[in-house]
Amino acid sequence: MSKVPAYAAPSANAPLAPFTVARRDPGPHDVAIDIEFCGICHSDVHQARDEWGGSIFPMVPGHEILGRVRQVGAKVTKFKAGDRVGVGCLVDSCQDCDPCRRHKEQFCQKGGAFTYNGTEMDRKTPTYGGYSTSVVVSEAFVLKVPEGLDPAAAAPLLCAGITTYSPLKQWHCKPGDKVGVVGLGGLGHMAVKLAAAMGAEVTMLSTSRAKEADARRLGAHGFALTSDDAVFKKLAGHFDLMIDTVSAPHDLNREVGLLRPEGALVLVGAPPEPMPFSSFALIMGNKRMAGSLIGGLAETQEMLDFCAAKKVVSDVEVIPAQKVNEAYERMLKGDVRYRFVIDTASLKSA
Ligand code: NAP
Ligand code: ZN
């Protein structure tokens, strides 16, 4: 057992503060990782503030973990000390149920083990996330991060990357497809980059006029301001696929109107409150609405390899852990270009 520095939310309405977590000694199948960078996802804010309900405190958030292997257990075959690795939203699962056998560990019927705000599979030991200097994770839940990727900019691929890559793959995104991305934040900017890298014709739908130039730089071919009613007439029936990354309630009926017949709107944004929805919005045109949760381990590795081949990483603002509360406030104001990433060196020197 080793004790390592971290940043934790002590309760739902208190700011994050320095904390110490105990990490287990690596077992035969475990990989001990020195964390270099950890991205800040809006899900961290939802959970640290208990917006989804059921949060466990104290909570060390962070599921965009990037680092180097320090030590491996005797039976580990995939990794050795010094390898650059990542850990996303999962640190374990039963590996035996139907979804686990189909490499969809995120749907483990035994509930899986989320990287934080959960427990290990013993259902007793709390899990603590990546706002910390090290973590010990079962080999099967560690990803190989290609050396060519900048480590700080690659960290957000572990959640924002896979969460947007997976629906693009599920809905067979191909060159020429018209893809709309709703919300230009951490997930949204990855969705633009990935859809563009797959050859799609991408339109950014945003509430922020000031983000238009960025959207185009990130790879969007078009930009539409969702506060402008004319947009919903002009782009009616336009998209094959839309990926909605918005973190707060908004009008889904209008969004579905932008799909072509049989087109699909995939929700990845997870607002805490329900949103009203009219069946007619889908019925008129056999439209589809779906959700998508991160991705399995094999698909996450595929995404990392795709990003290395296409030279896709996140646009990041690297911050010390001491600025995490400020980063949460800025994220809530839409003031992030486009992912905050904690440099864990700030925890070692604190
Ligand atoms: P983020 O960086 O804060 O981006 C969210 C974006 O949504 C904002 O930049 C803003 O874009 C837009 N937005 C915010 N409030 C809005 C409102 N009231 N109306 C319309 N648009 C609004 O957050 P993120 O880290 O990308 O996460 C986005 C959501 O995805 C969160 O709810 C998070 O929990 C969820 N998530 C889901 C999964 C999954 O597996 N499904 C994984 C990770 C995260 P514009 O300024 O461009 O309008
Ligand atoms: Zn996330």
Side-chain angles (χ1 to χ4, degrees), residues 40-44 46 52 63 89 159-160 163 182-188 204-208 211 226 244-250 267-272 292-295 331-332 334 336 338-339:
I40 297 180
C41 179
H42 205 118
S43 301
D44 299 351
H46 289 313
W52 291 338
H63 55 209
C89 298
C159 175
T163 301
V182 192
L184 185 46
L187 267 56
M204 183 69 232
L205 297 129
S206 171
T207 60
S208 313
K211 293 181 184 172
T226 48
D244 181 325
T245 74
V246 176
S247 53
H250 55 289
L267 305 178
V268 291
S292 192
L293 177 69
I294 48 171
M331 185 191 283
L332 288 170
V336 47
Y338 278 91
R339 199 57 141 185

Side-chain angles (χ1 to χ4, degrees), residues 78-271:
K78 269 167 52 191
F79 301 99
K80 59 178 186 329
D83 286 353
R84 179 150 270 147
V85 291
V87 177
C89 298
L90 297 165
V91 287
D92 207 357
S93 75
C94 81
Q95 298 189 59
D96 192 37
C97 67
D98 177 61
C100 283
R101 284 174 186 272
R102 290 188 298 108
H103 305 289
K104 308 269 179 192
E105 298 87 352
Q106 71 272 38
F107 308 130
C108 173
Q109 287 168 346
K110 302 248 166 68
F114 284 85
T115 303
Y116 70 88
N117 193 24
T119 60
E120 297 286 356
M121 293 308 286
D122 65 7
R123 292 292 165 248
K124 289 193 291 245
T125 312
T127 52
Y128 293 111
Y131 298 2
S132 166
T133 56
S134 79
V135 66
V136 178
V137 180
S138 171
E139 171 181 33
F141 289 79
V142 179
L143 285 311
K144 286 180 199 279
V145 176
E147 284 288 345
L149 296 174
D150 175 79
L157 300 179
L158 277 309
C159 175
I162 183 59
T163 301
T164 50
Y165 179 87
S166 181
L168 290 167
K169 294 301 274 193
Q170 289 170 59
W171 295 90
H172 310 292
C173 177
K174 59 183 187 312
D177 278 3
K178 295 188 174 74
V179 173
V181 175
V182 192
L184 185 46
L187 267 56
H189 94 291
M190 288 313 309
V192 170
K193 289 188 182 205
L194 290 167
M198 290 176 194
E201 186 189 308
V202 187
T203 302
M204 183 69 232
L205 297 129
S206 171
T207 60
S208 313
R209 165 64 75 198
K211 293 181 184 172
E212 175 165 3
D214 280 350
R216 292 186 189 278
R217 179 179 53 77
L218 295 165
H221 307 82
F223 180 89
L225 200 60
T226 48
S227 56
D228 176 4
D229 288 342
V231 157
F232 292 89
K233 283 206 183 99
K234 192 175 147 219
L235 292 177
H238 182 79
F239 295 109
D240 299 296
L241 173 65
M242 296 177 74
I243 311 274
D244 181 325
T245 74
V246 176
S247 53
H250 55 289
D251 189 347
L252 293 176
N253 298 295
R254 291 211 306 178
E255 250 170 69
V256 169
L258 303 183
L259 291 174
R260 66 157 168 79
E262 295 172 68
L265 168 66
V266 184
L267 305 178
V268 291

